[in-house]
Amino acid sequence: MKYYLLVLVLCLINITHTQNCTHTFLGEVKDFHDGTPMSGATVYLETLNKYVAADINGKFTIKNLCNGALVLVISHVGCDTKRIEVEINGDSYKEINMEHHIEELHEIKVSGEAPKKLTKTAQETQLSTKTIERFSALNLGDVLKQVSGVSSINTGNSIVKPVINGLHSSRISVIINGVLLQDQEWGIEHAPNIDLNTAGTINVIKGANALAYSGDAIGGVVILKPKNIISKDSLYGKTIFGAQTNGRGYNVASSLTKTWKKGWFINGQASMKRFGDFKAPNYILTNTGVNTKGFNINTGFKTFEKGFNINYSYLNNEIGILRAAHIGSINDLVDAINSGNPIVIEDFSYDINAPRQDVTHQTLKAEFYKRFKRFGRFQIQYDFQDNQRYEYDIRRNDDDKPAIDLNLKTHSVRANLKLDANTNTVYNFGVHTRYQNNFANPDTGIRRLIPDYDRYDIGVFAISNLKWDEKTNLNFGIRYDFNKINAQKFYLTSRWLERNYSDEFNDIITGSVFGKDIQNGVIDFNASQLLTNPVYNFHNVSVSAGISRKISKNQSILFNYGLSQRSPNPSELFSDGLHHSAARIELGDLRIEQEKSNRFGGTYQLNSSKLDLNLEGFLNHIKDFIQLIPFGTEQTIRGAFPVWNYVQTDALLFGFDLSTTYKINERWNLNNKSSFIKGRDTKAKTALIDMPSFRTTNVLGYTNKRWLNFNASLESEWVLRQNDFPDFNFETLNPTTQQMVLVDISTPPPAYHLLHFRSDITLPISKKTKLNIGLTVLNVLDTSYREYLNRLRYFADDLGRNFMLQIKLNY
């Protein structure tokens, strides 16, 4: 037997010696974008357990190889490590491309560090995951107020709309997960339907300098990006639970993500909030509860070179509106203004009764991208949005029947090509098409405020980002948008004649109600209502230009200019009736034209070891600025109501935003955010309505990592009285007393000062699991105050003291 074994061994030795192991493999490591050699790349030969290094030309050689598989692991500073398998069959060669300018993979840590800014020459501020999580129980408008120059216009405490440098609603575009939000944003009391818990970072870009996202964002763009995906086999998640005393409610949000090394991933997220009546310092704010629930599912495949994802989100908001804010006539408004307390104060309740809103927003998105060597990145996306809005008024017989029932469906397709082979000159081209249908249910028993309409949009843009030298960056962009609105609307004949529409718009009348149809071009103005078909075509051009310059190691400046045009929205054109949740009659105007904005901005930045300072200034001239202003009163079957008209003027807005952080030592720091803005009607030479007051916030912070990563801060918020305001007060007849009474809807409330306290600790549960416990106290001194930009300031004080406990578990 031993002779057979000896023969076998000799045969194996002979086979080994006769195998040809003299082959050579030549590898060349190049940049994926521009093909430049990547010198100093490290190559680990996994098969042979040894290392080689690429030379100055990015080349490396491996000799004395046998035929078969060779596994290489290539790494380079600033690149994602790449593992490849090469089949050796004689002398071989392979070009290996590495991504040296990673954009999609910045945020690879579960901890959620923020990626770099989206622009280099715009006035942009970024909010990190940690900041967003702190506002898990609140709204988008609340968290955005952490940005200097951003305030909010409120309807109570739960309907919060962001205001950027004095502009809001349709002048601000909100992008969430790459989708331009379409959710009836025209109404002041229509808050963005967004679940903050789906966002990983938020970028706020002031002015119309983000043409890749929107062309009519005269005020700015808010971009919410989801948490990034880890490219490895992993399973991780997060749960946030919160409870608060004011509203006696809770909120919970949880997410779980599964990723695979090859690039596949799936993520699920769900959240809910439930609060009862909130409380001012001295009384309950009856019928102000909130009930919110939503979820998000995202799945797909992601590598550097290609990928796709499919995302679906659902969000339902049921929001109570202060019962005392419901008025039956102008006299109720006078009584509310003259009364120190709300007219209706009841015991605490979780019930949400009329007046209330019930809004459901659904989004479906599908996206695909592909990178091409030495060229760039192509992306195409389709998204569908369905927004169902119900607004319930207090009725004598049927509170469960909505006074407003609007359904908005939006289909969008966007394609984008980014040419970044030369990283010093990056070009971005794109096209965006959208079709939108709005259906206003006529079966509400109430005259429809907004009509049925179809809207068609197409936009094309081109943007260049140039690196002039090591200290200077330039940006140029241009965008063209075409908008078409095709509406079907009934007008009361009396309203049609009252607004002198017959002088210009008789050609859009297509029929009538309870009268004769149009025959031989003759219109029956004896009919009660006229059916019209207004069709509008708008052509908008937007231009942006910017420059940033590093003037020293710690200092930089930037200047930008934006020209933008915004088409009027359907509310500004067609509003015609009683807006119940706003308790006023709103009238659009068929003559309204596009707004044209010229905005100039400048920024000075200082970043040193002790002091970080960001000072921004802006000047925005808007021709044909559209504003909604009070005009008088009108008698209805329910009584007299204020009448608000959409009108146009020329406006000039200017101001500055300051943000500073001073590091006293390793544990103590000071932070200040201040904003000043003026808005003038240059035609009437008066102030613009609804301009934010001067606001300054100072924060004293303390941190001690030895005390379970303890953090604490005391925040002082000081808001001055708005002394520059238009006087739209008017008198009306009180039918009860038969006397004229003053309706003071213009005079702002006094200045106020609030204190807030925040603290948190982090407990390590295991190597990968951490528990964060935070306590926040808002309005520590339980101060009574009224905010000028809160629509309900006529009826009640703002919120009193609120203790908020938050428990966050990362796993």
Side-chain angles (χ1 to χ4, degrees):
M1 181 68 180
K2 61 182 179 179
Y3 296 107
Y4 291 109
L5 292 176
L6 179 60
V7 172
L8 179 60
V9 172
L10 291 174
C11 290
L12 290 175
I13 293 174
N14 183 61
I15 291 173
T16 302
H17 281 284
T18 56
Q19 185 177 0
N20 187 359
C21 292
T22 60
H23 304 311
T24 299
F25 173 77
L26 174 62
E28 194 169 2
V29 185
K30 293 185 177 181
D31 187 288
F32 183 94
H33 290 279
D34 54 19
T36 57
M38 300 186 68
S39 61
T42 301
V43 182
Y44 172 62
L45 313 180
E46 190 175 277
T47 311
L48 305 176
N49 192 25
K50 69 176 184 178
Y51 290 87
V52 297
D55 61 19
I56 193 171
N57 296 314
K59 296 180 179 180
F60 64 93
T61 302
I62 307 172
K63 297 182 178 181
N64 300 322
L65 294 176
C66 305
N67 289 335
L70 178 66
V71 179
L72 307 177
V73 180
I74 304 97
S75 58
H76 190 274
V77 176
C79 297
D80 195 40
T81 299
K82 192 168 188 176
R83 184 179 186 274
I84 64 172
E85 184 174 308
V86 179
E87 188 66 30
I88 302 299
N89 186 14
D91 293 342
S92 304
Y93 166 82
K94 185 173 181 64
E95 179 182 298
I96 302 166
N97 296 108
M98 300 285 286
E99 163 52 20
H100 196 239
H101 315 284
I102 297 174
E103 294 179 357
E104 283 77 6
L105 304 177
H106 283 295
E107 189 182 348
I108 60 173
K109 297 181 180 179
V110 181
S111 57
E113 296 179 2
K116 64 181 181 180
K117 292 183 180 180
L118 303 176
T119 64
K120 293 183 178 179
T121 63
Q123 293 177 324
E124 180 181 357
T125 305
Q126 179 186 78
L127 298 174
S128 66
T129 303
K130 184 176 180 181
T131 301
I132 299 169
E133 289 174 345
R134 201 173 70 204
F135 288 83
S136 177
L138 302 177
N139 305 286
L140 176 66
D142 293 312
V143 69
L144 291 183
K145 286 190 287 186
Q146 302 306 298
V147 177
S148 181
V150 179
S151 53
S152 66
I153 189 163
N154 294 22
T155 302
N157 55 283
S158 299
I159 302 175
V160 185
K161 292 179 70 73
V163 179
I164 300 178
N165 290 152
L167 302 176
H168 58 84
S169 299
S170 295
R171 299 184 183 96
I172 295 177
S173 293
V174 178
I175 316 292
I176 179 165
N177 193 18
V179 176
L180 177 61
L181 188 67
Q182 300 288 319
D183 64 343
Q184 305 282 7
E185 75 282 353
W186 47 265
I188 287 181
E189 72 290 350
H190 298 178
N193 289 282
I194 287 175
D195 182 359
L196 272 180
N197 297 286
T198 62
T201 55
I202 299 177
N203 292 66
V204 179
I205 302 174
K206 299 174 183 176
N209 290 283
L211 299 186
Y213 300 97
S214 177
D216 59 358
I218 291 176
V221 177
V222 178
I223 302 169
L224 295 89
K225 298 186 70 175
K227 302 170 185 63
N228 224 317
I229 301 298
I230 301 173
S231 297
K232 64 179 182 179
D233 292 328
S234 182
L235 177 66
Y236 57 93
K238 176 179 65 177
T239 297
I240 298 176
F241 176 80
Q244 63 184 54
T245 58
N246 201 333
R248 305 183 195 178
Y250 66 91
N251 66 284
V252 61
S254 188
S255 65
L256 186 64
T257 302
K258 171 60 181 171
T259 61
W260 287 269
K261 190 174 183 179
K262 291 186 177 180
W264 293 97
F265 66 89
I266 184 168
N267 168 269
Q269 182 270 339
S271 63
M272 64 182 301
K273 291 190 292 186
R274 186 72 173 96
F275 300 107
D277 292 336
F278 289 87
K279 185 179 182 298
N282 299 313
Y283 43 76
I284 296 291
L285 300 170
T286 300
N287 196 54
T288 54
V290 175
N291 187 5
T292 296
K293 49 188 175 294
F295 66 91
N296 181 85
I297 298 175
N298 188 32
T299 186
F301 174 78
K302 180 178 182 179
T303 65
F304 172 70
E305 294 190 26
K306 63 182 177 181
F308 73 92
N309 75 81
I310 299 174
N311 180 274
Y312 171 76
S313 65
Y314 169 93
L315 182 65
N316 174 258
N317 285 311
E318 188 178 8
I319 304 171
I321 297 176
L322 181 70
R323 176 62 179 84
H326 175 84
I327 62 173
S329 69
I330 194 69
N331 297 305
D332 292 343
L333 179 59
V334 173
D335 291 341
I337 293 173
N338 295 332
S339 174
N341 294 330
I343 297 175
V344 178
I345 301 176
E346 298 176 355
D347 292 337
F348 174 86
S349 173
Y350 287 100
D351 295 337
I352 300 177
N353 301 310
R356 63 187 174 93
Q357 297 181 3
D358 190 341
V359 185
T360 299
H361 192 85
Q362 301 179 77
T363 302
L364 176 65
K365 169 196 164 184
E367 174 193 25
F368 170 80
Y369 69 89
K370 170 68 176 176
R371 286 187 179 273
F372 300 93
K373 287 192 296 185
R374 319 279 198 276
F375 187 66
R377 183 181 190 271
F378 173 75
Q379 174 188 355
I380 188 167
Q381 172 183 306
Y382 164 78
D383 60 79
F384 168 73
Q385 299 178 70
D386 184 283
N387 184 267
Q388 178 64 60
R389 167 173 287 273
Y390 298 110
E391 295 184 10
Y392 296 86
D393 191 22
I394 297 177
R395 298 187 177 188
R396 295 178 181 177
N397 299 320
D398 189 3
D399 287 354
D400 292 329
K401 190 172 187 178
I404 290 181
D405 179 354
L406 297 175
N407 181 258
L408 184 68
K409 288 183 169 63
T410 306
H411 300 265
S412 299
V413 176
R414 186 180 71 176
N416 188 75
L417 177 63
K418 185 175 184 179
L419 307 181
D420 56 1
N422 182 352
T423 55
N424 291 327
T425 307
V426 177
Y427 298 98
N428 199 359
F429 304 94
V431 59
H432 187 192
T433 62
R434 178 169 55 238
Y435 166 70
Q436 190 172 81
N437 172 262
N438 182 75
F439 173 70
N441 189 351
D443 188 26
T444 62
I446 303 293
R447 182 173 175 76
R448 292 184 290 179
L449 179 67
I450 301 295
D452 297 342
Y453 65 84
D454 292 313
R455 175 166 177 159
Y456 308 85
D457 301 313
I458 182 169
V460 293
F461 67 86
I463 300 172
S464 63
N465 292 283
L466 313 176
K467 187 175 182 179
W468 186 262
D469 55 37
E470 291 300 319
K471 296 183 178 181
T472 308
N473 290 286
L474 303 174
N475 170 276
F476 302 96
I478 185 169
R479 180 176 177 125
Y480 166 76
D481 287 281
F482 170 75
N483 313 124
K484 180 176 181 177
I485 299 176
N486 188 338
Q488 296 284 334
K489 176 172 174 55
F490 281 100
Y491 276 95
L492 293 172
T493 304
S494 58
R495 182 79 74 195
W496 184 268
L497 298 175
E498 167 200 302
R499 300 187 71 78
N500 297 317
Y501 284 160
S502 58
D503 296 339
E504 302 177 54
F505 301 107
N506 280 351
D507 59 322
I508 68 172
I509 299 175
T510 59
S512 59
V513 176
F514 302 128
K516 296 179 181 178
D517 290 337
I518 298 176
Q519 297 180 1
N520 300 321
V522 178
I523 302 171
D524 182 10
F525 286 107
N526 292 317
S528 60
Q529 295 188 63
L530 301 173
L531 177 61
T532 66
N533 178 210
V535 179
Y536 288 87
N537 295 315
F538 296 104
H539 302 271
N540 299 327
V541 176
S542 304
V543 176
S544 69
I547 179 172
S548 64
R549 172 78 178 175
K550 197 169 184 64
I551 57 179
S552 71
K553 180 180 179 180
N554 300 322
Q555 301 177 83
S556 60
I557 57 174
L558 68 84
F559 298 96
N560 55 60
Y561 164 74
L563 162 69
S564 57
Q565 295 178 291
R566 183 183 74 88
S567 303
N569 62 44
S571 173
E572 294 160 339
L573 291 168
F574 308 128
S575 286
D576 178 25
L578 184 60
H579 195 172
H580 290 262
S581 65
R584 64 193 184 196
I585 295 171
E586 296 179 2
L587 299 178
D589 194 328
L590 294 175
R591 305 176 185 90
I592 284 181
E593 299 177 349
Q594 298 142 291
E595 292 180 331
K596 306 170 191 68
S597 166
N598 285 275
R599 186 185 190 275
F600 300 86
T603 301
Y604 168 76
Q605 294 176 330
L606 170 65
N607 301 106
S608 65
S609 59
K610 286 284 189 180
L611 177 65
D612 290 340
L613 182 146
N614 190 84
L615 177 61
E616 299 176 337
F618 73 94
L619 185 148
N620 194 356
H621 180 266
I622 306 176
K623 181 175 176 55
D624 295 324
F625 180 74
I626 304 170
Q627 56 180 345
L628 182 61
I629 62 174
F631 191 71
T633 61
E634 183 173 300
Q635 190 71 32
T636 73
I637 59 174
R638 288 184 47 187
F641 281 87
V643 177
W644 291 61
N645 278 351
Y646 283 102
V647 299
Q648 289 190 284
T649 187
D650 291 343
L652 180 66
L653 294 90
F654 58 92
F656 71 85
D657 304 322
L658 174 67
S659 179
T660 62
T661 299
Y662 179 70
K663 188 176 181 180
I664 302 173
N665 54 41
E666 291 297 321
R667 294 182 179 177
W668 293 91
N669 65 82
L670 283 171
N671 176 276
N672 171 267
K673 294 192 298 289
S674 299
S675 299
F676 168 83
I677 182 173
K678 285 288 184 180
R680 304 294 298 174
D681 182 334
T682 58
K683 285 187 176 179
K685 301 188 184 304
T686 61
L688 291 176
I689 194 171
D690 291 336
M691 286 293 107
S693 308
F694 175 80
R695 180 184 303 264
T696 183
T697 301
N698 295 280
V699 181
L700 175 63
Y702 175 80
T703 182
N704 192 328
K705 293 184 178 180
R706 296 181 180 179
W707 299 352
L708 298 175
N709 285 317
F710 174 75
N711 297 283
S713 64
L714 183 64
E715 178 180 319
S716 166
E717 181 183 2
W718 185 29
V719 181
L720 298 187
R721 183 180 185 270
Q722 177 58 276
N723 293 318
D724 195 15
F725 62 94
D727 185 359
F728 291 122
N729 295 334
F730 58 91
E731 290 188 337
T732 187
L733 177 66
N734 186 326
T736 304
T737 63
Q738 291 299 304
Q739 293 180 342
M740 298 299 291
V741 294
L742 177 68
V743 185
D744 185 357
I745 59 174
S746 299
T747 305
Y752 63 87
H753 176 255
L754 304 176
L755 286 178
H756 312 297
F757 173 78
R758 293 184 173 92
S759 67
D760 71 276
I761 58 172
T762 301
L763 304 172
I765 304 300
S766 66
K767 185 177 180 180
K768 295 184 178 181
T769 303
K770 294 181 179 180
L771 178 67
N772 180 270
I773 303 174
L775 174 66
T776 298
V777 186
L778 301 179
N779 194 358
V780 173
L781 301 180
D782 207 21
T783 302
S784 296
Y785 71 99
R786 299 195 183 195
E787 165 59 42
Y788 175 58
L789 292 186
N790 192 332
R791 283 189 55 256
L792 303 190
R793 64 182 172 87
Y794 307 118
F795 309 100
D797 291 340
D798 273 271
L799 294 186
R801 184 187 298 117
N802 188 11
F803 290 89
M804 304 175 67
L805 176 67
Q806 185 182 87
I807 299 174
K808 180 180 64 177
L809 183 66
N810 287 325
Y811 45 87

